[in-house]
Amino acid sequence: MSNLTKTPATRSNGSAASPTATRGPRLSGLNWLIWRQHRAGFWTLFAITALCVAWLVYQRADLINQITAQGWPDSASDTWLKGAHPQRFQLVGFALGFIPIVLGVFLGAPLLAGDLENGTAKLVALQSVTPIRWLATKLAISALVVIVCTAALSVAFGRWWGPVKHVPTVLEWSDGAAFDNTGPVPVALALFTVVGGVAIGMLLRRSLISMVVTFGFAVVVQLVWSYLRLNLGHVLTITTHKGIGHDTFPQMPEGTLVIDQSYISGSGQTYGWGTCVAHGMPEKVCTQKFDLVGWSVDYLPMSQMSSMQWFGASILFALTAAVTVFIFVRGRKRIV
């Protein structure tokens, strides 16, 4: 890019002021140009994030006041559960789940498609800055904005949910409203969706169609992720041999997600928990016929949540890196 001629600032006595005396740290060159080009969108994201974080901080303070007044944390959850407002957690978690889609459609898709459509990319190709550096700067600044915003929301939502996270009736930890909005997952999902949108925009070279296709891509990513989420953990099994009554069901760790439960016979064979009902037998007769001696329960403990999140995020980060490499390879060969 051509450099702008700068006139040195002067003091009131007519002497020239040094740059350090009149200017603080600020963006310059290509970084300044990219920021200025997209500053409206970036500042909008920062402003919305700040408002959301402030609201979440307020909600956490209100939650602590409500449940403390009803006996938390010394009493059973039944006594203070109403003050936790479970519906509010579910609605907010559901709304936050749309953030990767929104960022992919409105930030990722038009990031390059807009420049390719209106001719800005051709202008860049005529300057001293290489297309690869232009691409790198665009992606780096956009990625930094996405990381800052989603990480701030992740921390704020996690702190709000933290005091009641062990109570499944407030918000199940394995549900997308909790799992996808805390830890590194929201950052990883948003980055992958945004970079995917950038790649789509580079290929289609039209903003509107790129946004439509990116929307479909982002929805598919969310659906696949929700299907694979529980596969990130290591399913544990607990068995008992004290009969099949409800009072003999094994005691599970707090916050445990039960994947499957079945009866176990004396020979070690398992039968579905609805076996007796399916055969229309009383429990006593069913127990004798199938030699049922206890329960076999497959479950995921809440203690695996963090490791599952980082494992899933690492997969998404790897996919993001692969798409980024594709963008640079494609950009080196043909960007205009």
Side-chain angles (χ1 to χ4, degrees):
M1 294 290 178
S2 58
N3 294 324
L4 296 177
T5 302
K6 296 182 175 62
T7 302
T10 59
R11 298 190 180 95
S12 58
N13 59 6
S15 60
S18 64
T20 56
T22 59
R23 296 180 58 185
R26 62 181 63 186
L27 295 174
S28 61
L30 186 58
N31 293 329
W32 174 86
L33 181 63
I34 298 299
W35 175 268
R36 183 173 178 82
Q37 182 185 11
H38 301 286
R39 67 187 183 281
F42 291 158
W43 281 120
T44 299
L45 287 177
F46 283 139
I48 294 175
T49 300
L51 290 174
C52 290
V53 168
W55 186 82
L56 290 171
V57 170
Y58 169 79
Q59 290 300 317
R60 185 183 191 277
D62 181 65
L63 171 69
I64 296 297
N65 291 334
Q66 291 282 346
I67 61 179
T68 300
Q70 299 180 40
W72 178 88
D74 299 322
S75 60
S77 60
D78 293 342
T79 62
W80 51 261
L81 182 59
K82 185 177 179 180
H85 303 294
Q87 298 85 356
R88 189 176 302 173
F89 279 97
Q90 294 163 5
L91 287 174
V92 174
F94 178 76
L96 291 177
F98 284 96
I99 289 179
I101 298 176
V102 172
L103 290 176
V105 172
F106 293 100
L107 177 61
L111 191 69
L112 294 183
D115 290 346
L116 292 168
E117 185 175 14
N118 60 31
T120 303
K122 293 182 179 180
L123 178 63
V124 170
L126 298 175
Q127 306 302 312
S128 58
V129 175
T130 64
I132 294 301
R133 184 184 170 195
W134 174 67
L135 275 175
T137 305
K138 264 185 171 287
L139 287 175
I141 294 178
S142 301
L144 181 60
V145 171
V146 170
I147 291 171
V148 170
C149 292
T150 52
L153 289 171
S154 173
V155 171
F157 184 81
R159 283 183 55 78
W160 179 33
W161 178 54
V164 295
K165 66 187 300 182
H166 291 285
V167 184
T169 51
V170 174
L171 195 62
E172 182 68 62
W173 68 267
S174 59
D175 187 69
F179 193 93
D180 296 348
N181 293 318
T182 57
V185 175
V187 178
L189 275 173
L191 274 180
F192 179 54
T193 306
V194 168
V195 173
V198 173
I200 291 171
M202 173 181 276
L203 294 174
L204 299 182
R205 308 170 73 86
R206 294 292 184 272
S207 295
L208 183 58
I209 186 63
S210 297
M211 294 170 72
V212 173
V213 175
T214 298
F215 176 79
F217 165 75
V219 170
V220 170
V221 169
Q222 292 283 346
L223 291 175
V224 173
W225 174 257
S226 63
Y227 177 77
L228 297 177
R229 186 187 301 119
L230 295 183
N231 294 326
L232 299 171
H234 176 62
V235 177
L236 304 178
T237 302
I238 185 172
T239 59
T240 65
H241 297 80
K242 299 179 181 179
I244 62 171
H246 293 291
D247 56 340
T248 63
F249 194 83
Q251 294 295 320
M252 312 301 293
E254 190 176 25
T256 291
L257 174 68
V258 175
I259 304 297
D260 190 22
Q261 61 187 51
S262 55
Y263 299 130
I264 186 171
S265 68
S267 62
Q269 185 175 352
T270 57
Y271 296 89
W273 64 272
T275 297
C276 297
V277 176
H279 286 79
M281 300 179 183
E283 183 177 293
K284 185 175 181 180
V285 175
C286 182
T287 300
Q288 294 175 347
K289 179 176 181 179
F290 295 102
D291 188 25
L292 304 179
V293 297
W295 294 93
S296 176
V297 181
D298 297 333
Y299 68 97
L300 282 172
M302 190 176 184
S303 59
Q304 291 191 23
M305 179 181 180
S306 179
S307 60
M308 290 170 63
Q309 286 180 315
W310 279 104
F311 179 43
S314 65
I315 296 174
L316 291 171
F317 286 139
L319 292 173
T320 301
V323 177
T324 303
V325 170
F326 167 78
I327 291 173
F328 281 109
V329 171
R330 174 81 176 185
R332 183 183 295 274
K333 293 181 179 179
R334 184 172 180 267
I335 191 60
V336 294

